[in-house]
């Protein structure tokens, strides 16, 4: 949870609640072969900080982070 100023709250060691763990977002490199659940097999043709552009042969799609349906082959 973030406060109004945008910074995360400090987790206290005595807190009865578990600290929220941020999931690790996979990184894709240029020319990585990938598989998407909807679009099929493709190749990464452009990478950005929070998105990748993938060429699936018949179409090109920009997929934003987090990459739930995209996996590296």
């Amino acid at each position: 949870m973030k406060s109004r100023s945008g910074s995360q709250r400090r987790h206290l060691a005595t807190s009865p609640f578990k600290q929220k763990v941020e999931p690790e977002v996979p990184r894709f490199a240029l020319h990585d072969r990938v598989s998407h659940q909807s679009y099929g097999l493709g190749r990464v043709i452009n990478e950005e900080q929070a998105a990748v552009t993938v060429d699936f042969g018949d179409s090109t799609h920009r997929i934003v982070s987090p990459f739930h349906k995209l996996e590296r082959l």
Side-chain angles (χ1 to χ4, degrees), residues 4-55:
R4 290 184 184 193
S5 66
S7 62
Q8 286 189 343
R9 291 184 175 181
R10 185 173 56 117
H11 185 266
L12 300 175
T14 58
S15 174
F17 303 102
K18 292 183 179 180
Q19 185 174 6
K20 186 175 181 180
V21 177
E22 294 293 326
E24 184 176 327
V25 178
R27 301 282 300 163
F28 295 98
L30 202 58
H31 304 294
D32 274 354
R33 297 282 306 189
V34 294
S35 176
H36 191 275
Q37 290 178 3
S38 300
Y39 304 126
L41 297 175
R43 184 176 300 274
V44 176
I45 59 173
N46 187 24
E47 58 178 322
E48 302 171 26
Q49 180 68 21
V52 292
T53 305
V54 181
D55 180 19

Side-chain angles (χ1 to χ4, degrees), residues 52 59-60:
V52 292
S59 63
T60 302

